[in-house]
Structures are given as C-alpha cells and as structure tokens.
Amino acid sequence: MLSRLMSSSIRSLDRECNCTVRLLDDSEYTCTIQRDAKGQYLFDLICHHLNLLEKDYFGIRYVDPDKQRHWLEFTKSIAKQMKSQPPFTMCLRVKFYPPDPAALKEEITRYLVFLQVKRDLYHGRLLCKTSDAALLAAYILQAEIGDHDPGKHPEGYSSKFQFFPKHSEKLERRIADIHKTELIGQSPETSELNFLQKAQMLETYGVDPHPCKDVSGNPAFLAFTPFGFTVLQGNRRIHFLKWEEVTKLKFEAKTFHIYANQKEDKKIILTYFAPTPEACKHLWKCGVENQAFYKLEKSSQVRTVSSSNLFFKGSRFRYSGKVAKEVMEQSAKIKRDPPEIHRSEFLCFLLSLNHGELASSAVFSGLESLRDSAHSTPVRSVSHGDSFMSSRGHMVDGSEASTSGVISDEAYSPSDSVLPTPVAEHGMEMPLARHLNGAPCSIDEEKDSEAGASKEGQGVDLTSGRRALRMVRSRPSPPSDVEELNKFILSVLRLFLVTIGLLFALLLLLIMLTESDLDIAFLRDIRKTPEFQQFHFEYFCPLRRWFACKLRWMGGFLISK
C-alpha cells in the first residue's frame, strides 16, 4: 500500500511543471501547472494576478530551443508548444497595440501598455526625431520621479537614466529642460497617457520588426501595426498597406508573399525572404492574427487560413481570440472600482547614483536586454543623434499611405531583431562581447563584466561588425529561375499523387458499395454488367475467402495463447 501511494505521488509530480513568466515591470510570476494545461489557463492566472480585465491586447511570448520566437497559443497545450524541458520561462508582452491608448477603459491597462512602449523606445523599435524623443523621455522622467526637485536631482540627473540605446549630451539637456519647465504638476497617470498619445502618432508605434530580405537581396524589416502592414528599409518606409487593402498572406519555406488591392483596382504582390522557414511561418502567423484582430468586425468572421492555395500543402492556422471592435465593446461594459496600481521603482532605469560609476551602464544595458529577451530585440547600436523619424501624420491621407517616405536620416535598426534571443536559462554562460553589444547574458556574467566595462566602445564596434557579417551570411538569397522551376515541378507532382490517391479511394468506396446490400438503382445496374460479374467471381470472392481464412487462423492463434 505504501509503495502504491508513493508511486501515485511520483506520477502526480511528473504531471506538474514549474513555469515563470516575466512581467512588463521586470517582476516574475511563478506558478505550477499541469503538463496538459493549455495556454489559456496560464494567461488567465497572470491576468488574475495583475487584476487585468482588458487582457486581449496582451500575449505570452517564448523562445523554442532553436531560438525562434513564438506567441503562446491559448488553445493548445503549453508543454507541447515549448518543445523543451521544464521549468518553462516566458514573458508577458503587448501583442496587439491599441490604436488609441486614450480609449482604454482602465488605467491598469494603460500602465502596462506604457511599460511596453517604453521598452520599445529603449530597444530601438520605436524610432522618432530628436524633439519627439526629448518629450517622450521627459514624460517617462515625470512619471518615474515626479516634479523636478533641485535637492534630489542634481545637475545632469537625466544622464543617469537610459531612455534610448544611445543619446547625446545635447538630448539629455533638452530632456531635463522639458522636465523642469513644461511638465510641472503632472501626475504619473497623466504623464503616462501623454506619453502614449505622443508615441501613438509615430510611424513605428506598435512595430514588432521581422528581419527579411527583398527580391534584390537588400535587408528590410516587415511589421504589422494597428493601422496596417509596413516595410522599413534603410531610412525609408517603402511600403504601407492598410488592413482593408491586404487580401492575402502566404508563405512557402523562407518566402513570404503579401497580396493587396489598392485604389483603381491596382493589385500588388510583395515578396520577401525570411532567415529561416520557422521565422517565415512565425511572420505569417503574426500577420494572420493582426489582420483578423484589426480588420474584422466580429470574431465569428474569423476563418481558418492556409499558407498555400492547395489544401494538401502548407500550414493551416486560425486566430482564436476576440477582434478589436469586440474588445472595445467589452471594455465599455467594465464597471468596478479602479484597481490599485503598483508602479515599478524608477531605479529600473537608473544607471548609477554617481557620475563616476559609468562602468555599470554596460551592465544595466545587458540586464535590460536580458529582461526583454523574449521580445528578441536587444539594444540598438546606433546613435540617436539629431535625426529621428518624423511623425505619422500623413498616414491619415489614404493617397499617401502606400508611398515611400523618409523616416529618418539613419537606417531603422532595432537591435538584434535578426537573431531571436532565447530566454536566459540558469547557469547559462555567454561571451562578454555579446553582452556589450546588447545581447542577453547571465546575471552572474553581468557582475563579472563590470571590471571590463571600460572597453565597451571597442567591444561594441567589434561585435557589431561581426554580427553584421553573420547577418549577411545567414540571410537567404532570392531563389533563382531553376529553383522556381523545381518548386513548380514539385507542386505538379504533389497534385498528381494526390489525384491518384483520391481516385484509388473513390474506387475502393465504389467496390464496397456495389458489394454491399444497398438496393439502389445505380448500384443494381452496375451489378448486372458482365465486367462486374467477372470481377466479383474471379477477384473479389477469392480475396474475401482468403481474408476470412487468415482472420480465423489469427483468432485460433490468439485463443490458444
């Protein structure tokens, strides 16, 4: 009896696993889940922990053993999706950015979106011109530390905060000037809302960049925003398609296609190449989900989509959540006292308390990248300078929506989006060069690297060059005519084999029907034909007797055993 109880308890432990989710304020939520638990169960636990009702804008992101990013699907088992051994580590992130943050019903939702957009600004995903950057940083400063106090905030205090991957002293002074003079008296709630309203007007608001190459082999970033599909290349936005213009998204291996209909029945097809087939599939699934969320009127209109024109080829996927309009309608029905918000300490952005402690800046840079590793965009290694991206005001005009426009004097380069960064594991060791360049490293390694932080500039330049070389080598080249011909031949062969298989299945079904006792005029006519009589007596009857004999022999063998 004791051994039976012990074995049952061991089996119970085997069915459970630990799961850690890193939240947007860098805190961690740890729980124990059943191995067969679905993603929705874990997501509901987190939302209950955060007291979050407007939860449809958020998702859980993880990285598989092949270092490919994924969004956790709520209708599937967590353990089967992770493809790794527990304990599992994931991150809570904004999956669908609200088109108008001011329209959010609850302050807790706006605060979490504020934390996400603040991360986007720090990691180079949200790019803006210098004047906008200074105002956004000042809003963050006001929300974090309140009004300027000369006793607490000495000269140069804004340089102690890391708002961007890099910024100049001139920009730091401008941030401090705005904070001292223009934002006096603003509460954290007001500053956060003003920050979101300003960020929402930028071209790259809501951008989660996917690195690709165009048909000419030039690098580009593809992204899905609340307003449509966009392509950023160099310092230009070369394409923007509204969601109502996008008709289809398709991928095959590393190739991603976007079909769209624009004004005057103008049809266009955009083709890009992802680094790996897994990255291309992730890009496609993100596009399908974003299009369904922002374009459809209700979730009942969601349909299962295929990555190919043929039903027997490619992947099939269906978005399983609510759409934006339903989320807004549901939010309007929320009636409860505003939940208490525990805002994170401003020290999460404070690099040091003394000017002399510059060595720790590299450590905090790597630490922030570690904490945001599941979003796979470590620190952007270009200077913000004086030229950031212009605002998104011209997007309102539909005639200009798809034209190419300069977004910055610098190329859009969100740090390390090309290499999806795995969530750091305990005991994991990585070279210091990756840490200095903004890629994740272990916390122990961060502590050990403080002594060598004075060599940061040299390390950044060296590793940036090596990373650029790896990026060029790893990116796929556009397919040649021979490859296209091979793909066509394979498609024809697949079609031929499937056709033969269907015909064979129909033939078997017809034989079963004619040999059955069904009394249908059509079957009676077939049974009277000489060809059927010959087939019945010469082939079907002997085959049936042979099978019956084999079955009797197997039955006798099993009984004797």
Side-chain angles (χ1 to χ4, degrees), residues 306-449:
S306 174
S307 62
S308 174
N309 292 327
L310 301 176
F311 70 91
F312 58 86
K313 177 187 171 188
S315 301
R316 296 174 65 81
F317 179 70
R318 178 187 176 91
Y319 171 62
S320 59
K322 296 184 180 70
V323 300
K325 187 173 182 180
E326 291 176 334
V327 173
M328 293 298 296
E329 293 173 353
Q330 185 176 4
S331 298
K333 300 176 182 178
I334 296 176
K335 294 181 180 179
R336 67 168 179 174
D337 295 334
E340 183 180 358
I341 300 176
H342 301 281
R343 286 181 166 80
S344 59
E345 296 292 335
F346 74 92
L347 288 174
C348 67
F349 275 89
L350 193 58
L351 297 182
S352 63
L353 295 176
N354 300 315
H355 288 279
E357 297 178 358
L358 297 178
S360 63
S361 61
V363 177
F364 271 78
S365 175
L367 180 59
E368 175 64 16
S369 181
L370 168 64
R371 289 167 175 169
D372 201 36
S373 58
H375 215 106
S376 81
T377 47
V379 179
R380 176 172 164 264
S381 58
V382 296
S383 173
H384 280 243
D386 293 332
S387 299
F388 285 69
M389 190 190 64
S390 59
S391 64
R392 192 175 40 82
H394 63 277
M395 284 182 60
V396 178
D397 186 0
S399 62
E400 299 180 12
S402 61
T403 58
S404 175
V406 176
I407 60 174
S408 173
D409 288 343
E410 297 174 349
Y412 181 76
S413 179
S415 39
D416 247 47
S417 294
V418 173
L419 297 177
T421 309
V423 175
E425 298 177 356
H426 297 292
M428 186 176 181
E429 296 182 357
M430 293 185 181
L432 178 62
R434 288 192 62 193
H435 164 220
L436 293 177
N437 206 21
C441 60
S442 65
I443 296 178
D444 292 335
E445 186 182 347
E446 290 172 8
K447 296 177 181 177
D448 296 337
S449 65

Side-chain angles (χ1 to χ4, degrees), residues 72-141:
L72 189 70
E73 295 187 40
F74 295 159
T75 58
K76 296 182 179 180
S77 167
I78 297 174
K80 291 182 179 179
Q81 293 183 70
M82 295 298 291
K83 300 179 182 178
S84 61
Q85 294 299 319
F88 301 136
T89 306
M90 291 169 271
C91 291
L92 179 73
R93 295 292 181 261
V94 173
K95 186 176 184 180
F96 303 110
Y97 287 72
D100 183 10
L104 294 172
K105 178 75 171 181
E106 296 199 308
E107 185 185 330
I108 180 66
T109 315
R110 281 193 296 273
Y111 175 64
L112 293 175
V113 176
F114 163 77
L115 293 178
Q116 177 66 71
V117 179
K118 185 170 68 170
R119 284 179 178 275
D120 295 343
L121 186 67
Y122 174 75
H123 287 278
R125 293 185 291 268
L126 181 67
L127 195 62
C128 53
K129 60 184 180 181
T130 304
S131 58
D132 292 333
L135 183 57
L136 289 173
Y139 281 137
I140 295 175
L141 208 55

